[in-house]
Amino acid sequence: FFEHKTPLRNMSAPFNSIEAKKEEFRHYLEKGGVIDALTKVLVSLYEEPEKPSSALDFIQSHLHSAGPQTADVENLKIENADLKRQVDELKAQVDELRKQIEQKQDQPSA
């Protein structure tokens, strides 16, 4: 009676394509840490005893201070301190080498 099974099979192809795109986007957000950051901010808002007048302002301000950036800042501070120490050591070496050069130049030639 109904011989039109082909259109039904073709209808599943766009559905699969849409689902694949959704899954790809979800994976992209997950890999970038977006889902974790949003979850943490939303949980923080939920646990807030006195809800702020603007949920959007709360989320925006907490997103700027949350996430991997905080860890990055700490790592950069540690790296910066190490590099400053290395610069100080190298300056001391340069000063020592300059002194040695001056001493050799001050010695009478044989």
Side-chain angles (χ1 to χ4, degrees):
F1 180 174
F2 287 103
E3 301 269 338
H4 295 72
K5 292 184 180 180
T6 307
L8 293 178
R9 274 188 267 147
N10 288 341
M11 287 181 65
S12 67
F15 179 74
N16 288 338
S17 175
I18 291 170
E19 288 302 312
K21 286 181 181 180
K22 284 182 183 179
E23 183 64 24
E24 182 181 329
F25 187 67
R26 186 196 59 77
H27 180 69
Y28 163 75
L29 292 176
E30 199 171 83
K31 185 178 177 184
V34 174
I35 293 175
D36 286 341
L38 286 174
T39 301
K40 287 177 185 176
V41 171
L42 291 173
V43 166
S44 178
L45 177 60
Y46 175 78
E47 293 174 345
E48 192 70 25
E50 295 197 22
K51 302 298 182 232
S53 58
S54 172
L56 183 59
D57 288 343
F58 179 91
I59 291 169
Q60 287 176 335
S61 69
H62 282 75
L63 269 179
H64 290 296
S65 64
Q69 294 172 344
T70 304
D72 290 342
V73 169
E74 289 304 314
N75 288 337
L76 289 172
K77 284 180 180 179
I78 292 169
E79 182 181 3
N80 190 34
D82 287 342
L83 291 172
K84 284 181 178 181
R85 181 189 49 76
Q86 288 177 6
V87 166
D88 290 342
E89 288 175 3
L90 291 171
K91 282 181 180 180
Q93 287 178 2
V94 167
D95 288 342
E96 180 61 32
L97 291 171
R98 283 185 177 151
K99 286 179 187 175
Q100 289 176 9
I101 290 172
E102 285 176 12
Q103 287 175 353
K104 293 211 182 238
Q105 288 175 345
D106 289 343
Q107 289 179 351
S109 318

